[in-house]
Amino acid sequence: MIEIGKYNELRVLSKTESGLNLTDGDKLVILPYQYVPKGLEIGDNVNVFVYIQKDGRLTGTTQKAYAEIGDFAFLKVVSDGDDGVFMDLGIDKDVYVPAKEQKRPMQKGYKYVVYLYLDENNDRLLASSKLYDFVEEEDFDFEEGDEVSLLITEETDLGFNAIINNTYIGLLYHNEVFDNIQIGDQRKGWIKKIRVEGKIDLTLQPSGYGHILDSKEMIMAELKKSGGVIELGDKSSPEEIYHRFQISKSAFKKTIGSLYKERLIVLSDDSIRLLTDDDAE
């Protein structure tokens, strides 16, 4: 079955004046000649993004779309009007966002995170910035501590909302963010906490003992590279620590605490240094 708004593997059936007829064995899709790969012959298979033209014809393209139906994506408005806006999908077919599907009025030239779906009445490509209408709120396929992919959607008073694995939504609190995050960024993250009410807390830092082991190796290597001293300690700011090691202050304190217990370093409020023979005496 042909899936509109997605990539489909179709067979070349015949040639016409305007392009190649492709088929899944049931329906026909026209692939205009400007999108036909070199050497493609009748009987060959080709992977195309399928959409419906204004005249109702199923049309394919080998252009690379930024997203498919069922995806959340960060797209740019290329034209606007009172009834809605059109966003660039990376192909010759733009995606329409009706005014009623805009969380806030969209403006030409700006980019927004939207969800792509099909109009139930005519299979037209549509998008919505009302993201909460399309995220799953239960049956999570991850656990606390799992690594996930994130799409940053908006900044709030608490932090940054992010789409998780193209399916769920969670929150990165401001005190968990130490570098420059922008709306539309795609990041690797971790599940920090799944709350009883189903809310999901996120972090950009892995947690657990394995992460501490990795951090210990990194900090010991940096100490040796820096002549045995690093000007960071318990009193250093989270931003300074993240800038140097890309880990949170909490992870840093756990790591240097472990190194101290192993008698590998000496701690002070503003620095750490390798333990020497003189210290041992």
Side-chain angles (χ1 to χ4, degrees):
M1 183 178 75
I2 291 175
E3 293 187 277
I4 298 169
K6 293 190 175 185
Y7 282 92
N8 296 254
E9 189 79 14
L10 303 177
R11 180 171 55 87
V12 180
L13 182 65
S14 60
K15 295 183 178 180
T16 71
E17 290 185 1
S18 55
L20 300 181
N21 278 327
L22 311 179
T23 183
D24 65 342
D26 180 22
K27 295 182 178 180
L28 291 180
V29 173
I30 185 72
L31 176 62
Y33 281 118
Q34 64 261 42
Y35 306 128
V36 175
K38 280 187 178 181
L40 190 67
E41 300 290 344
I42 293 175
D44 291 347
N45 285 350
V46 61
N47 195 37
V48 295
F49 184 92
V50 177
Y51 59 92
I52 293 181
Q53 292 278 27
K54 289 182 178 180
D55 59 10
R57 287 188 305 163
L58 286 174
T59 303
T61 178
T62 51
Q63 294 173 297
K64 179 59 180 174
Y66 296 140
E68 299 179 76
I69 293 300
D71 286 343
F72 293 90
F74 190 49
L75 304 179
K76 183 178 182 179
V77 176
V78 291
S79 66
D80 55 12
D82 293 337
D83 297 330
V85 303
F86 285 93
M87 306 187 85
D88 180 17
L89 194 54
I91 61 177
D92 284 346
K93 180 71 172 180
D94 295 327
V95 60
Y96 184 64
V97 188
K100 66 179 181 178
E101 288 298 332
Q102 298 174 32
K103 183 176 180 180
R104 300 180 186 88
M106 294 178 166
Q107 299 178 32
K108 182 179 178 180
Y110 288 85
K111 299 183 75 173
Y112 305 87
V113 177
V114 294
Y115 178 82
L116 272 65
Y117 66 101
L118 286 181
D119 188 318
E120 294 179 353
N121 298 317
N122 54 23
D123 285 337
R124 185 183 186 187
L125 288 172
L126 297 177
S128 172
S129 60
K130 296 181 177 181
L131 307 183
Y132 277 94
D133 291 346
F134 301 95
V135 295
E136 297 290 337
E137 297 181 344
E138 54 187 20
D139 297 327
F140 303 128
D141 60 359
F142 46 68
E143 298 177 350
E144 292 180 6
D146 283 359
E147 180 181 318
V148 291
S149 63
L150 303 177
L151 172 61
I152 309 301
T153 63
E154 64 176 342
E155 186 174 5
T156 70
D157 291 340
L158 295 176
F160 292 88
N161 287 333
I163 297 296
I164 307 166
N165 292 349
N166 199 47
T167 306
Y168 310 96
I169 198 162
L171 177 65
L172 276 167
Y173 287 93
H174 281 302
N175 62 2
E176 292 284 343
V177 178
F178 306 107
D179 60 347
N180 184 29
I181 281 188
Q182 301 293 327
I183 306 306
D185 283 356
Q186 296 188 36
R187 296 293 186 103
K188 180 167 64 175
W190 284 263
I191 303 299
K192 183 177 182 181
K193 186 177 182 61
I194 301 174
R195 299 185 178 275
V196 176
E197 65 273 23
K199 302 294 185 182
I200 303 168
D201 295 346
L202 301 167
T203 177
L204 298 178
Q205 310 299 321
S207 58
Y209 186 64
H211 177 49
I212 297 302
L213 289 178
D214 292 341
S215 299
K216 284 166 65 175
E217 292 179 3
M218 174 180 64
I219 288 176
M220 287 298 290
E222 282 293 307
L223 277 166
K224 292 171 184 177
K225 189 192 301 183
S226 304
V229 179
I230 292 176
E231 301 298 330
L232 290 172
D234 272 355
K235 299 295 185 182
S236 299
S237 70
E239 291 76 18
E240 291 175 307
I241 292 167
Y242 188 86
H243 180 74
R244 181 68 181 267
F245 295 117
Q246 283 73 58
I247 61 176
S248 66
K249 183 170 182 176
S250 174
F252 175 74
K253 291 178 70 173
K254 288 178 183 177
T255 303
I256 62 175
S258 180
L259 291 172
Y260 176 76
K261 288 178 182 178
E262 295 175 31
R263 297 186 59 78
L264 294 173
I265 65 171
V266 176
L267 302 177
S268 73
D269 286 346
D270 301 304
S271 70
I272 56 175
R273 63 180 175 86
L274 288 172
L275 191 74
T276 64
D277 292 337
D278 292 338
D279 295 316
E281 294 174 1

